[in-house]
Amino acid sequence: MAERERRITPPYGGVFVARKRVMDADGVRRAVTRIAHEIIERNAGLEDVVLVGLQTGGVPFARALATALDEIEGTEIPVGTLDVALYRDDIGLRPVMPEAVTDIPLDLSGSHVVLVDDVLFTGRTIRAALDALHDFGRPRVVQLAVMIDRGHRELPIRPDYVGKNLPTRRDEAVDVHEDGVDLGDIIHEKRR
Amino acid sequence: MTALKHLLSIADLGPGGLEDLLDLTDSFVEVSERRIPKVPTLRGKTVVSLFYEESTRTRLSFESAAKRLSADTMNFTVGTSSVKKGESLRDTVTTIEAMGVDAIVVRHASAGVPWQVAQWVGASVINAGDGWHEHPTQAILDCYTIRQRLGSLVDRHIAIVGDVKHSRVARSDVQAFTALGATVTLVAPPTLLPPSLVGWPVTVSHDLDDVLPKVDVVYVLRMQRERMTESLLPSLREYTSTYGLTAERARKLSQHALVMHPGPMNRGVEIAAEVADLPSSVITRQVANGVAVRMAVLFRLLGSGMELAHG
């Protein structure tokens, strides 16, 4: 299976080596469609709904959700992107570096924000994202959509929409990409 | 990206380090454009500015950058300090460090003072201008501003005009511009050029009118009258007539060319008042970008944790 380079991003960078495919491309596509329906149902339509994808893994997922929502309801939903590096609580404990520029194109006051990320793990990224959102206005409600919930939460945070619940060991890694979702390990190789 | 403890010169950034910092600055420009331009990144860190020379924009720019990152700031200005009572630089620095600071932003009239301070303290030291020597954050913000307007510095032709001899900005800019692939021409009377240009990757001209139509950027330096101990010029009026960027000369610039100046400007001496306000002038953009660049530098030194990276 493919090896994928990871930049300095949780947990600590290195090379991802896949062991097992846990979701294929069709599975991801069906999960996106289902979550899109759930978002419409939960918010009784799409009025004031804004998707905010977390950099970098949540952004393609957010765009896919926006496309699905448009196909179902015929409404174009604003999609923002958010990099939470500057809000993390582990600054000074590990390398932290913004990977992309935040782009929230509108004031979020009064909106229904759906935060979108690929993998939910400790919940610390979402904690940082909630802090960051606060600087862009006061949303009426914030919901959370993730493709994979892998457990091991360290904070009282739960997702509203889940593609798949995936039991994992703490030291494993999950990689969501265009062909599906892989479970594997991060290998730190100094010789590389 | 490697660990970076101090920023004393452009060379400290290493190969690729300058580009990385410019990319990082994009994130801080975005923060600066928000309704609430503040992030909690450096909460609990203290940044002190230690300025032995007067400054408006650099000191305020660093202070504003630190505050937008939620760091605490302290200010040290020689005029109101114990230096007036005869305290040595070393004692001043040791005293400041004993109060618990994470970064010291140093400006001094003597070259090398930031290096010396970095030997004495555990905090990060940032050079905010030392004598004629270097002013790295100015060079970084200049590169950022050019990149923002022209896309890239690769194969761009930049003229640096004026008092190169006394200019730390010119010394840092030449290194930074050429490192990013630009060609640099220095335009100045022989008395305002350094005694030797051996090792400078530049060409020299004494004819501004000939150079102007060929350049993408004209970078006008301030006439540093406070550093001129001997008579280097017959008169300022003569300087203005041969090397000043007058309105008439500015018309020779190509359509896309930028006019830059590190400030503070002597309007009517090195640059005409109306030229500084032309659309091609990015002088206020430089100041705005300065805050974002200094946020990136402070974050890189104090928050990025690159020293904790594997490998």
Side-chain angles (χ1 to χ4, degrees):
Chain A
M1 271 195 189
E3 291 188 358
R4 294 162 70 88
E5 288 278 349
R6 286 220 172 177
R7 296 187 55 201
I8 300 164
T9 176
Y12 295 86
V15 178
F16 176 81
V17 181
R19 239 185 308 113
K20 188 173 149 204
R21 170 112 341 150
V22 291
M23 230 173 151
D24 59 15
D26 283 338
V28 170
R29 191 176 41 75
R30 287 182 200 116
V32 168
T33 311
R34 172 176 51 80
I35 291 172
H37 281 285
E38 287 175 2
I39 290 173
I40 295 162
E41 189 180 14
R42 177 83 70 95
N43 296 284
L46 290 176
E47 203 179 332
D48 298 327
V49 171
V50 178
L51 302 180
V52 174
L54 298 190
Q55 294 285 6
T56 50
V59 174
F61 180 22
R63 298 206 195 288
L65 273 176
T67 308
L69 290 168
D70 193 5
E71 278 165 12
I72 300 161
E73 290 283 280
T75 316
E76 264 192 58
I77 303 296
V79 181
T81 63
L82 186 61
D83 189 299
V84 302
L86 303 175
Y87 293 83
R88 295 201 66 96
D89 61 4
D90 47 5
I91 287 171
L93 301 176
R94 66 172 196 89
V96 172
M97 193 55 79
E99 296 188 48
V101 177
T102 293
D103 177 23
I104 307 271
L106 67 169
D107 187 342
L108 297 179
S109 296
S111 61
H112 294 218
V113 172
V114 182
L115 279 177
V116 182
D117 205 359
D118 53 353
V119 181
L120 179 60
F121 185 26
T122 61
R124 289 187 188 264
T125 303
I126 303 305
R127 203 269 329 143
L130 290 171
D131 263 14
L133 278 187
H134 183 72
D135 287 348
F136 292 92
R138 180 182 181 276
R140 209 162 87 68
V141 54
V142 181
Q143 297 161 356
L144 174 61
V146 297
M147 183 51 70
I148 300 292
D149 181 356
R150 59 169 292 194
H152 303 285
R153 214 81 76 239
E154 295 171 0
L155 295 168
I157 280 168
R158 53 146 190 84
D160 300 273
Y161 314 102
V162 183
K164 184 181 177 68
N165 282 295
L166 180 68
T168 58
R169 287 196 324 268
R170 210 164 223 297
D171 59 348
E172 287 174 309
V174 176
D175 189 30
V176 179
H177 51 90
E178 59 270 31
D179 302 325
V181 180
D182 294 331
L183 183 62
D185 306 281
I186 296 283
I187 312 286
H188 296 291
E189 286 173 293
K190 293 232 165 168
R191 62 191 153 83
R192 266 174 182 265
Chain B
M1 239 179 248
T2 53
L4 190 66
K5 172 83 181 173
H6 308 294
L7 181 65
L8 305 176
S9 68
I10 287 295
D12 282 354
L13 291 169
L18 184 52
E19 284 97 326
D20 285 345
L21 201 53
L22 298 180
D23 291 342
L24 182 59
T25 300
D26 286 338
S27 291
F28 294 101
V29 168
E30 183 274 319
V31 170
S32 300
E33 286 167 353
R34 291 183 193 173
R35 198 164 50 94
I36 304 171
K38 197 174 175 88
V39 288
T41 316
L42 296 184
R43 265 189 323 159
K45 303 278 187 190
T46 302
V47 177
V48 61
S49 47
L50 178 60
F51 275 54
Y52 281 84
E53 269 192 339
E54 61 282 12
S55 157
T56 315
R57 72 203 65 224
T58 307
R59 193 168 52 79
L60 290 179
S61 182
F62 268 110
E63 189 169 342
S64 165
K67 287 187 164 147
R68 285 181 183 183
L69 292 170
S70 303
D72 296 311
T73 56
M74 295 196 292
N75 253 307
F76 174 98
T77 23
V78 169
T80 54
S81 72
S82 290
V83 170
K84 286 276 179 224
K85 300 175 190 165
E87 189 175 50
S88 73
L89 175 65
R90 179 157 198 170
D91 287 341
T92 303
V93 168
T94 312
T95 304
I96 288 172
E97 179 159 56
M99 292 173 191
V101 300
D102 300 283
I104 304 179
V105 181
V106 183
R107 167 168 289 192
H108 201 284
S110 300
V113 165
W115 275 259
Q116 187 59 68
V117 173
Q119 307 300 312
W120 288 331
V121 299
S124 289
V125 177
I126 300 169
N127 182 358
D130 59 330
W132 304 358
H133 182 235
E134 281 234 33
H135 192 355
T137 56
Q138 177 72 44
I140 301 164
L141 75 89
D142 290 337
C143 292
Y144 189 82
T145 306
I146 296 171
R147 198 175 83 155
Q148 195 176 46
R149 291 292 291 262
L150 301 180
S152 153
L153 275 80
V154 176
D155 294 331
R156 294 296 186 178
H157 189 177
I158 302 171
I160 300 180
V161 183
D163 184 4
V164 177
K165 181 176 183 174
H166 301 100
S167 176
R168 54 193 172 214
V169 172
R171 282 172 181 77
S172 288
D173 270 345
V174 165
Q175 289 182 57
F177 292 164
T178 53
L180 295 177
T183 312
V184 176
T185 300
L186 303 179
V187 187
T191 50
L192 291 182
L193 286 170
S196 165
L197 285 168
V198 174
W200 288 50
V202 296
T203 52
V204 175
S205 166
H206 304 300
D207 186 353
L208 184 57
D209 295 294
D210 174 54
V211 171
L212 282 179
K214 305 177 200 160
V215 298
D216 302 294
V217 177
V218 55
Y219 196 102
V220 184
L221 296 170
R222 183 172 67 88
M223 285 300 285
Q224 304 203 28
R225 278 176 283 180
E226 77 277 16
R227 293 191 211 280
M228 289 187 190
T229 48
E230 60 227 285
S231 49
L232 298 169
L233 293 171
S235 76
L236 280 179
R237 267 179 60 192
E238 183 176 329
Y239 176 82
T240 305
S241 72
T242 39
Y243 290 98
L245 190 61
T246 57
E248 192 195 335
R249 284 214 174 88
R251 280 193 280 276
K252 296 187 173 146
L253 286 164
S254 62
Q255 202 74 43
H256 71 278
L258 307 178
V259 175
M260 300 177 75
H261 191 294
M265 286 183 277
N266 299 310
R267 283 181 192 250
V269 182
E270 70 267 3
I271 188 165
E274 58 268 42
V275 175
D277 303 324
L278 288 175
S280 58
S281 159
V282 289
I283 296 167
T284 46
R285 193 69 241 171
Q286 285 173 274
V287 178
N289 287 338
V291 177
V293 160
R294 288 170 179 122
M295 288 170 82
V297 168
L298 287 169
F299 173 73
R300 182 81 171 75
L301 299 182
L302 300 182
S304 63
M306 283 301 143
E307 69 279 7
L308 305 166
H310 285 264

